[in-house]
Amino acid sequence: MKFSWRVLVLWTLPALVIGFFFWQGAFAGAPADMGRNTASTRMTYGRFLEYLDANRVTNVDFYEGGRTAIVEAVDPDLDNRVQRVRVDLPINAPELITKLKDKGVSFDAHPMRNDGAIWGLIGNLIFPILLITGLFFLFRRSSNLPGGPGQAMSFGKSRARFQMEAKTGVKFDDVAGIEEAKEELQEVVTFLKQPEKFTAVGARIPKGVLLVGPPGTGKTLLAKAIAGEAAVPFFSISGSEFVEMFVGVGASRVRDLFKKAKDKAPCLIFIDEIDAVGRQRGAGIGGGNDEREQTLNQLLTEMDGFEGNTGIIIIAATNRPDVLDAALLRPGRFDRQVIVDAPDRKGRLEILKVHARNKKVDPAVSLEVVARRTPGFTGADLANLLNEAAILTARRRKDSITQIEIDDAIDRLTIGLTLNPLLDSNKKRLIAYHEVGHALLATLLPHADPLNKVTIIPRSGGVGGFSQQILNEEMIDSGLYTRAWIQDNITMTLGGKAAEAEVFGESEVTGGASNDLKMVTNLARKMVTMYGMSDLGLVALETQNSDVFLGRDWVNRNEYSEEMATKIDRQVREMAISCYQQARKIIRENRALVDRLVDLLVEQETIEGEQFRKIVAEYTQLPEKQQLVVSG
Ligand code: ADP
Ligand code: MG
Ligand code: ZN
């Protein structure tokens, strides 16, 4: 049914409100009781009596049962012109008639103009009446819902929050870098396309597949690709859309969704963020959330309610499978789970290739290098990166995306938008010392990764400047950090604060170092608790947890005692302190070099790694690792 009462009512109400004011204007606001005898000016009763005494009044017409009068009077100040004025009369003025008679003024009484009053009354009433009628229809609709528990105003049915795409146009080719997930889901395409193949041999086709992975890894894309490959309609809704203020709305949306999907079978239903509805029931404070439970129950009922071979497959996505209600994961529901993880370097390259297909990329650009420079980027990040680069290219009026635009886009995404350079020279110097502190240590520490660049061009998000190292992709990809590498990184990270303290004194250290300190704490903690690289010995107190996104990291927290926790804290602090001492020592011993680099940085605002190393080499011997970079 295309005709919707809701739409009608929603559009009628504002029209009525506007109409109401017009009606008010036409019938209630104007002196309707005066009929044709409208008189624009008003005269007080006292003044009227004065006029009467002065024999200026020629005619009086009474209206409204004698409560008002239109008075014709001549005004000597206005060439004795006849004026018509309105006078409000006191109710108890019987002597007025006598007086008029005495003065020989002609007067007449007119009957009440009732029609005006009635229209005014209707004008006043019609708005509330229509409003009530409108609400009545809203209520009626909600109680019409099949099985609806009769809650006030259920918008579940009329406001279809799910989307239906007859053709998604996405193919498996558009999804890259998550080959395992793709392979597993290939089968789902066959379920949708040729269910007979399976039912013929008595196989039960799974109803639900749960995609598990962090945001932006391509779960939605993958689901669309399945629908696209199988050429079936794609229904999608987000779990958060189910959760509404009114109890019962979510459940009715689920019902509605499945009803529509059954009409279109074979088809694919995609439920994003299923954790929003699928959380363990009764787990919330105060006994859980009624609305969510009802929605979840409805979802379970619907899933049980159709046979596996009806051609509907439900794919749900979440990054928190651990919080899901166990009932959702039982056989016959989302019994298949497919992990969609952030891509590795090879995966990133594949994804970059997919997104470079429809862009003009300079042949000199090596996507390989881009993939290497973007550890931790998800598919969505990479798509965004190439798009940013394309925007920069257009803005710079270039024909194709070059490495420069890609590098700038990476910085923009990882660090922030570039802002205008600072004018305030004191602050600029302070930031320069801080960043040179980092950069110099990155260059002088034997195990630190070489400097890529150091800059004091500010970025959005309160970044005054930054020094950037060339990524050690080998170590990042393998996860095999050496103790020396971590230690030098801690020292390098403390280099900013160390330089500030050496140059301006400990009391002048700015808040700019607070992020650095957080990073140091993290690194040092990892060293102590994960890698067994401390005096606490060879115990892995926390297991490396790549599943942090699963929300399980708290599980490990209690694996050691209170006493051990204190020891860990002491170790972490000692490590940070000794690194800080070392950082200050290096800055102190190279003070002349630091000053020169700061002068240059303030002037140039950015120093590339190469130039930086050359200057440093004039003062002191570079470690082996850094020399390689200079020659290469
Ligand atoms: P998720 O649903 O996991 O949060 P999306 O599927 O919404 O992620 O991804 C958003 C966008 O990022 C996609 O539309 C696509 O352009 C890009 N993207 C993400 N992952 C991939 C991938 N594996 N291959 C290609 N593009 C991807
Ligand atoms: Mg998504
Ligand atoms: Zn810093």
Side-chain angles (χ1 to χ4, degrees):
M1 186 179 72
K2 276 273 166 286
F3 176 74
S4 154
W5 274 107
R6 189 182 63 90
V7 171
L8 175 77
V9 170
L10 279 187
W11 282 104
T12 319
L13 286 186
L16 284 178
V17 174
I18 295 165
F20 172 63
F21 285 106
F22 280 114
W23 287 35
Q24 288 281 307
F27 299 105
D33 38 20
M34 293 301 158
R36 286 172 296 115
N37 300 320
T38 33
S40 51
T41 42
R42 213 182 143 268
M43 184 189 266
T44 63
Y45 182 60
R47 192 122 175 88
F48 165 59
L49 290 184
E50 277 174 32
Y51 268 63
L52 200 57
D53 286 339
N55 296 321
R56 290 191 193 160
V57 176
T58 55
N59 187 35
V60 176
D61 288 292
F62 290 102
Y63 291 96
E64 291 188 354
R67 262 178 295 148
T68 49
I70 299 292
V71 175
E72 284 180 20
V74 285
D75 199 328
D77 299 336
L78 292 168
D79 306 332
N80 283 342
R81 235 181 31 213
V82 178
Q83 265 198 310
R84 290 162 62 82
V85 292
R86 197 180 118 190
V87 179
D88 289 325
L89 305 173
I91 294 169
N92 288 317
E95 71 282 353
L96 183 62
I97 306 293
T98 339
K99 201 159 187 175
L100 288 174
K101 272 190 200 148
D102 286 352
K103 293 277 176 187
V105 177
S106 74
F107 61 91
D108 192 8
H110 298 266
M112 292 239 262
R113 290 269 322 250
N114 270 339
D115 50 349
I118 285 170
W119 278 114
L121 190 69
I122 292 175
N124 280 330
L125 279 182
I126 193 134
F127 176 67
I129 286 174
L130 284 176
L131 184 72
I132 288 166
T133 322
L135 284 177
F136 170 74
F137 276 114
L138 278 182
F139 274 82
R140 232 182 53 148
R141 281 211 56 75
S142 68
S143 52
N144 269 350
L145 285 174
Q151 274 83 23
M153 295 206 261
S154 168
F155 295 93
K157 176 120 180 180
S158 40
R159 205 193 290 169
R161 282 297 193 79
F162 57 83
Q163 278 100 43
M164 205 275 276
E165 285 177 54
K167 286 200 180 81
T168 62
V170 181
K171 289 285 165 73
F172 271 143
D173 266 359
D174 301 317
V175 190
I178 39 176
E179 295 309 319
E180 284 166 39
K182 252 165 79 175
E183 259 164 45
E184 278 194 69
L185 292 169
Q186 202 89 49
E187 205 183 14
V188 177
V189 176
T190 324
F191 292 153
L192 284 166
K193 255 181 155 169
Q194 301 157 306
E196 353 38 91
K197 254 188 174 178
F198 297 87
T199 48
V201 293
R204 186 177 55 85
I205 291 176
K207 292 176 190 170
V209 180
L210 187 63
L211 301 181
V212 178
T217 46
K219 298 182 294 299
T220 310
L221 190 69
L222 207 46
K224 281 190 178 177
I226 295 169
E229 289 283 342
V232 298
F234 179 77
F235 287 85
S236 68
I237 189 164
S238 170
S240 53
E241 305 274 17
F242 285 133
V243 183
E244 281 278 337
M245 203 152 69
F246 301 106
V247 177
V249 176
S252 86
R253 275 192 191 149
V254 173
R255 258 193 312 274
D256 198 27
L257 171 66
F258 275 81
K259 192 162 160 284
K260 291 262 164 60
K262 277 176 195 161
D263 292 344
K264 296 269 182 193
C267 67
L268 190 149
I269 298 179
F270 179 64
I271 305 176
D272 211 352
E273 297 172 54
I274 195 167
D275 44 288
V277 269
R279 270 164 200 269
Q280 264 155 14
R281 280 166 292 187
I285 297 166
N289 176 329
D290 255 3
E291 159 65 353
R292 220 183 50 220
E293 282 187 19
Q294 276 202 17
T295 310
L296 177 56
N297 286 337
Q298 190 63 41
L299 184 62
L300 295 175
T301 313
E302 294 287 350
M303 283 192 83
D304 291 342
F306 68 85
E307 289 307 316
N309 52 14
T310 44
I312 300 177
I313 287 191
I314 306 155
I315 295 190
T318 182
N319 55 357
R320 305 288 314 269
D322 55 319
V323 300
L324 290 185
D325 198 292
L328 265 178
L329 307 175
R330 272 209 282 275
R333 291 162 185 168
F334 294 102
D335 45 0
R336 289 196 174 205
Q337 295 193 20
V338 175
I339 305 283
V340 186
D341 221 336
D344 57 7
R345 197 208 306 176
K346 197 169 147 283
R348 291 196 297 274
L349 176 61
E350 296 305 315
I351 295 172
L352 283 167
K353 280 183 187 160
V354 166
H355 288 279
R357 279 203 301 236
N358 58 358
K359 295 192 175 62
K360 264 199 174 161
V361 182
D362 191 290
V365 169
S366 160
L367 292 180
E368 185 90 39
V369 172
V370 181
R372 218 180 276 167
R373 284 203 52 202
T374 47
F377 273 48
T378 62
D381 294 334
L382 292 168
N384 192 13
L385 167 67
L386 284 187
N387 193 48
E388 280 288 328
I391 290 172
L392 283 176
T393 307
R395 197 177 295 157
R396 291 170 190 175
R397 297 177 199 285
K398 292 191 186 175
D399 298 332
S400 58
I401 303 170
T402 70
Q403 193 70 45
I404 301 169
E405 280 74 42
I406 292 185
D407 285 351
D408 287 352
I410 292 178
D411 284 349
R412 172 180 266 207
L413 293 181
T414 50
I415 301 160
L417 295 173
T418 34
L419 306 176
N420 289 332
L422 283 179
L423 295 174
D424 175 356
S425 63
N426 274 340
K427 199 171 171 203
K428 209 167 165 176
R429 277 198 98 69
L430 184 85
I431 293 170
Y433 270 105
H434 181 102
E435 297 309 332
V436 164
H438 289 307
L440 184 65
L441 288 173
T443 308
L444 289 181
L445 291 167
H447 302 281
D449 297 323
L451 185 75
N452 184 42
K453 70 174 170 196
V454 54
T455 173
I456 51 167
I457 296 174
R459 299 257 166 175
S460 57
V463 178
F466 60 93
S467 71
Q468 190 178 54
Q469 290 164 284
I470 294 171
L471 283 172
N472 188 335
E473 46 332 301
E474 208 176 304
M475 213 173 271
I476 289 169
D477 281 353
S478 67
L480 297 172
Y481 305 97
T482 63
R483 177 181 183 145
W485 185 87
I486 297 184
Q487 203 148 14
D488 277 0
N489 256 301
I490 295 176
T491 312
M492 188 277 302
T493 310
L494 288 167
K497 182 169 147 68
E500 284 185 42
E502 280 301 323
V503 176
F504 301 99
E506 191 73 62
S507 59
E508 298 294 310
V509 171
T510 60
S514 70
N515 254 341
D516 296 345
L517 295 184
K518 256 183 235 152
M519 225 153 95
V520 165
T521 317
N522 266 335
L523 274 170
R525 245 194 114 74
K526 262 197 185 141
M527 231 175 129
V528 174
T529 59
M530 263 163 60
Y531 304 124
M533 293 170 184
S534 72
D535 301 343
L536 295 182
L538 290 170
V539 272
L541 294 159
E542 279 169 24
T543 41
Q544 174 144 34
N545 205 331
S546 57
D547 302 343
V548 172
F549 72 87
L550 301 182
R552 283 231 167 101
D553 45 342
W554 52 270
V555 178
N556 302 311
R557 275 289 136 77
N558 292 331
E559 277 176 14
Y560 43 81
S561 63
E562 195 72 14
E563 189 193 347
M564 195 52 127
T566 321
K567 275 190 188 158
I568 291 172
D569 282 348
R570 195 179 315 131
Q571 280 281 334
V572 168
R573 203 173 321 128
E574 274 168 18
M575 192 171 300
I577 288 172
S578 87
C579 287
Y580 184 57
Q581 301 297 354
Q582 197 200 350
R584 286 193 63 160
K585 183 162 165 274
I586 295 176
I587 302 281
R588 201 180 311 131
E589 287 169 356
N590 294 282
R591 183 57 201 273
L593 172 58
V594 170
D595 289 343
R596 167 147 174 225
L597 288 166
V598 164
D599 285 342
L600 184 66
L601 186 57
V602 168
E603 187 200 314
Q604 269 185 206
E605 282 167 348
T606 301
I607 306 178
E608 297 295 331
E610 198 82 347
Q611 191 189 7
F612 196 91
R613 275 184 289 278
K614 266 188 196 140
I615 297 170
V616 176
E618 289 173 23
Y619 288 73
T620 172
Q621 172 88 19
L622 288 178
E624 215 174 311
K625 202 172 171 181
Q626 309 277 344
Q627 284 168 345
L628 281 178
V629 174
V630 173
S631 58

